[in-house]
Amino acid sequence: MDTFSEAQSLLPDIIDLRRRIHANPELGNNLPETTAAVLDAISDLDLEIRKSERTTGIVATLHGAKPGRRILLRGDMDALPMPEDNDLTFASKNPGVMHACGHDSHTAMLVGAAKVLKQHQNELAGSVDFFFQTGEEGFFGAREVLEEGLFDAPNSPDAVFALHITPLLDAGVFTGRSGPLLAAADTFAMTVRGKGGHASMPHDCLDPIPVACEIVQAFQTFVTRRVPAFDPIVLTTTKIEAGTTSNVIPEVANVLGTIRSTSEKSRALAHDGLDRLATKIGEAHEMEVDFEITRGYPVTVNESAFTEFAAQTVRELFDDKAYRPMRSPMMGAEDFSYLLQRFPGAMLFLGVKPEDPSLAAPCHSNRMILNESAMAHGAALHAQVARKFLAVTKV
């Protein structure tokens, strides 16, 4: 039986675990129920378990019959703080919390891969780390475990690999690219401080609202005129808040937004330029501007050699049509980027478009659903990537 057939035989268990996790979503780095469900699902595999001290994340390691290299496979486990509006028997039981990004499926597929690889333990030369990670949705779960030394020697992997589902791609089809795959994600917060007064006499005031709007417009000009078109950033102002009523000019205007970039060069260019614009435009209008950037996840960069290795594994396991190269990065962000900064490896996307394409909703949608049959493809690829990696001395 080949790896895909083995994964397909486990699909009912994979679906059951995914639904259990989906119905009981948890947030952040403390996921006691989800972690318990994973430990229960792998309890009969006799894996070496290492637990994070800062989070409820775990690393379950399968050691082969002979020494060799080490590969880490990651599945993130946390949900999003948002409502679910799907009529499912296993819909979220926790109001305001939903697995809208597929982490429930990532976790279930990784458990499926562990069960497949357990059947081949005597053939393996080396070790496979199944990393069940917390806190991907903005809580820096990967960085936390790296900082605490969970993957320091002698537990350092020789390579890392991850899958992320996408409901907008045909079920069972994989996609990826070498180099930048996902963007760095930073946020900015700006406060424009003027002088309040009567709306009928703006000349006696320092009105922060038009100045805030001027700065926002200047940001968009900066993006198109100072940032290289082939190393772009995406800047979006998402909130402007000021004032209390129609006849009062407020003293303060607050602005929030996000900055996405696909290289550290453009990231730094944006940070410096936006701060300068905000400060200097404020000065021109005799106002004080506080501009602060909070750095988020870095650019997710796939190593070229491992990306091609993973893509070729897809073609061999399924067929040539099962892999579609990505033409450009996506502007979402991933904390798998921290692992890729430390270790060679790659992340691919797995299509899970529903059988009825009219129901396809993107990740982070309150109506996101997926084609669960595609999870057999993900479990199989995890397992096959590990088997191939441990079977050769160099990728």
Side-chain angles (χ1 to χ4, degrees):
M1 186 181 292
D2 63 25
T3 304
F4 183 43
S5 297
E6 291 171 343
Q8 285 182 308
S9 71
L10 294 168
L11 185 58
D13 291 340
I14 295 171
I15 291 174
D16 179 68
L17 177 60
R18 182 253 165 173
R19 292 183 177 186
R20 286 169 56 197
I21 295 171
H22 188 93
N24 297 281
E26 297 175 293
L27 301 174
N29 282 313
N30 184 31
L31 315 175
E33 291 189 25
T34 308
T35 301
V38 169
L39 288 170
D40 178 62
I42 62 175
S43 61
D44 61 343
L45 300 184
D46 192 29
L47 304 178
E48 176 191 326
I49 305 295
R50 288 183 289 125
K51 297 182 179 181
S52 166
E53 295 179 357
R54 296 188 183 184
T55 75
T56 61
I58 61 170
V59 182
T61 303
L62 176 68
H63 295 292
K66 295 179 289 186
R69 296 196 295 176
R70 191 179 198 119
I71 185 169
L72 179 150
L73 308 176
R74 188 211 73 169
D76 39 4
M77 304 189 292
D78 57 321
L80 284 158
M82 59 180 288
E84 176 164 15
D85 293 305
N86 288 316
D87 184 19
L88 301 170
T89 58
F90 54 92
S92 173
K93 298 177 183 177
N94 299 335
V97 186
M98 177 190 176
H99 270 291
C101 201
H103 296 187
D104 51 349
S105 67
H106 300 170
T107 300
M109 289 189 295
L110 195 55
V111 168
K115 291 183 176 182
V116 170
L117 288 170
K118 179 65 178 182
Q119 301 174 34
H120 299 274
Q121 186 172 12
N122 291 334
E123 307 165 17
L124 301 178
S127 301
V128 184
D129 288 330
F130 304 97
F131 175 32
F132 296 94
Q133 184 204 307
T134 67
E136 193 283 324
E137 294 291 354
F139 289 86
F140 297 86
R143 189 178 70 183
E144 288 289 321
V145 297
L146 286 168
E147 288 180 351
E148 72 174 277
L150 199 61
F151 298 117
D152 289 352
N155 297 312
S156 301
D158 296 292
V160 295
F161 180 68
L163 288 173
H164 199 300
I165 60 95
T166 171
L168 303 183
L169 181 66
D170 293 340
V173 173
F174 296 86
T175 188
R177 70 190 307 273
S178 61
L181 177 78
L182 291 161
D186 304 317
T187 58
F188 69 85
M190 178 172 65
T191 300
V192 181
R193 302 183 187 279
K195 184 172 70 173
H198 203 289
S200 66
M201 296 174 280
H203 54 280
D204 291 331
C205 309
L206 292 174
D207 189 347
I209 293 178
V211 175
C213 293
E214 182 179 337
I215 294 171
V216 169
Q217 288 294 97
F219 283 175
Q220 299 306 317
T221 302
F222 175 85
V223 168
T224 61
R225 289 296 176 266
R226 297 303 306 277
V227 180
F230 293 102
D231 187 10
I233 68 168
V234 172
L235 184 145
T236 304
T237 300
T238 55
K239 183 178 181 181
I240 300 179
E241 183 179 61
T244 57
T245 189
S246 63
N247 63 348
V248 174
I249 289 175
E251 184 174 295
V252 171
N254 293 306
V255 182
L256 291 175
T258 182
I259 308 163
R260 307 287 172 132
S261 52
T262 57
S263 79
E264 288 300 323
K265 182 177 180 180
S266 278
R267 191 183 194 186
L269 177 66
H271 288 198
D272 292 342
L274 298 174
D275 180 63
R276 183 174 62 253
L277 275 175
T279 303
K280 297 301 182 183
I281 290 174
E283 288 179 1
H285 293 279
E286 301 181 48
M287 296 187 203
E288 179 185 341
V289 176
D290 298 326
F291 185 79
E292 182 178 353
I293 291 176
T294 301
R295 294 176 69 89
Y297 298 158
V299 182
T300 302
V301 182
N302 279 346
E303 186 202 39
S304 296
F306 199 96
T307 304
E308 180 52 37
F309 166 76
Q312 185 58 30
T313 303
V314 172
R315 299 184 188 104
E316 293 171 358
L317 186 59
F318 304 106
D319 56 48
D320 288 345
K321 295 181 180 179
Y323 184 80
R324 299 178 191 171
M326 288 173 61
R327 289 177 292 180
S328 59
M330 292 176 61
M331 300 310 284
E334 246 286 353
D335 79 342
F336 191 64
S337 53
Y338 290 108
L339 288 161
L340 288 172
Q341 285 182 332
R342 284 273 301 270
F343 310 108
M347 168 180 277
L348 298 185
F349 288 97
L350 166 62
V352 292
K353 183 183 289 184
E355 292 184 18
D356 181 351
S358 69
L359 299 178
C363 288
H364 291 223
S365 165
N366 56 318
R367 300 190 186 277
M368 195 280 278
I369 60 173
L370 54 85
N371 187 328
E372 293 177 313
S373 67
M375 293 193 294
H377 293 72
L381 184 64
H382 268 309
Q384 191 69 4
V385 163
R387 290 179 71 182
K388 280 191 62 180
F389 183 82
L390 298 184
V392 298
T393 58
K394 184 177 181 180
V395 170

